[in-house]
Amino acid sequence: MKKTIHKKGFVFQVYEAENQSPFDTLFEIFKELITHTSGDFDEAINWLRDLDKEYKLTTAEYTIDDFIEDLKKRGYIKDDIDDKGNGGTKITAKTERAIRQQALNNIFGKLKRNGSGNHKSKSPGTGDEHTGEFRSYQFGDALDKVSITESLKNAQINHGIGSFNLTEDDLVVEETLHKSQMSTVLMIDISHSMILYGEDRITPAKKVAMALAELITTRYPKDTLDILVFGNDAWLIKIKDLPYLTVGPYHTNTVAGLQLAMDVLRRKRHTNKQIFMITDGKPSCLRMPDGQYYKNSMGLDDFIVNKCYDSAQQARRLHIPITTFMIAKDPYLTQFVQEFTKANQGKAFYTGLKGLGEMIFEDYETNRKKRIKG
C-alpha cells in the first residue's frame, strides 16, 4: 500500500479584502464626514451625496436614502426639534462613540503595540503585571500573590519529601509591576487661526482628542482626561461634545487655558499629572483683573509672553510638565515655545498636522513609563 505523507507548509494566494456590506462601507465614510462638519448631519449627507455622484458609492438596490433609513433603525441618528421649533436630524451618543472608536483605530492602530495595554513602571509594587521574579513572603502580602509551585518546591528542598512540611519560610511571592495612574488635561486652541490660510487644523485636533479619550476610558479607566478649549477665555468641554467642536472668532489666551488646566489638576489625587497643549499660534490675549481683554495680534507682545512664562513656571512648581504640540514653524514662534518649555522644563514638538496623533499617543505612553514611581 502506498503511504500518504502529510507535509506542513504555507499556502500563498492573492489577498482579497473582506467584503463589507453597503451600509458598513457608507458608514465608514459618514463617520469621517460628520467629524469634518462638526456634527452637522445635513451637511455630512450632502457631502456624501456629492461623493456618491463622483465615485458611485451606491447602487439602485441600496441608495443614500436607504442608508439614512438604516442609520435611524440602528440608532445612529434621531429626529430633533431645535429651540425655534424647526425639525431636523442629529447624531446620537452611539454615533459619537463610533466616531471616537474610529479615531482611536486610525491613530493608535498605527503605533507599535507593546504590552497588554496597562501603563507599566520600572518599579515593583501592587499590580497584576508579573515580572517573573520572586521574593520571600512578608506579613501582609495577599495570599493570592503566593506562588504555590515555587513555595512547594522550597518545602521539598528544605524539609525533604519523606517528612513534607510547609512553613512560612518556604513561602515566596511573585513580584508584580506597580500600576500607576495619570491625570491629563488636553488643551485645544480654538482661535480663528486654526482655520486660516485654507488649512483645517481643528479637525485633526478633534480627532486626536476623541482618540485619546477613547483610549483612556477603555484601556486605562483609572486615568483621567479633562479637555479644555481656549480662545479669548478657556472653558472645559465634555468628551461627548468633541464632535461638535468648532473654531470661533477668538484670539489666543494661552494663560487662561494654563490656569484652568492647573486648577483642574490641583483637585486630582493622582500623583502623576501632565498638560498637553495643541496650538498653532502665538499668545495674543489676556483677561485683565477688571474683566477687560488686552489683545495684541502683532508679533509677540512682551506683556502677554511674560505672563505665559510665569504660568509655565507655576506649573513646574506644582510638578506638572507641559508638552506643547506647536502646529507652526515660524522662527519667532519656535523661539517663544523654546523659552516657554525651558520655563516649565517640559517638552515641545514642532509638527504639522500629519502624524500629530501618533506623536501625542507615543508621548502619553512614554510619560506614563518615565514618571511613575513605585
Side-chain angles (χ1 to χ4, degrees), residues 23 65-78 94:
F23 173 83
D65 291 331
D66 294 325
F67 172 66
I68 295 173
E69 190 62 30
D70 279 348
L71 286 175
K72 289 182 180 179
K73 290 178 180 178
R74 300 187 187 200
Y76 288 110
I77 59 175
K78 63 180 181 180
K94 186 177 181 180

Side-chain angles (χ1 to χ4, degrees), residues 300 328-338 350:
L300 286 172
K329 295 183 180 179
D330 306 71
Y332 76 104
L333 291 179
T334 300
Q335 183 179 358
F336 159 69
V337 173
Q338 288 174 344
Y350 307 91

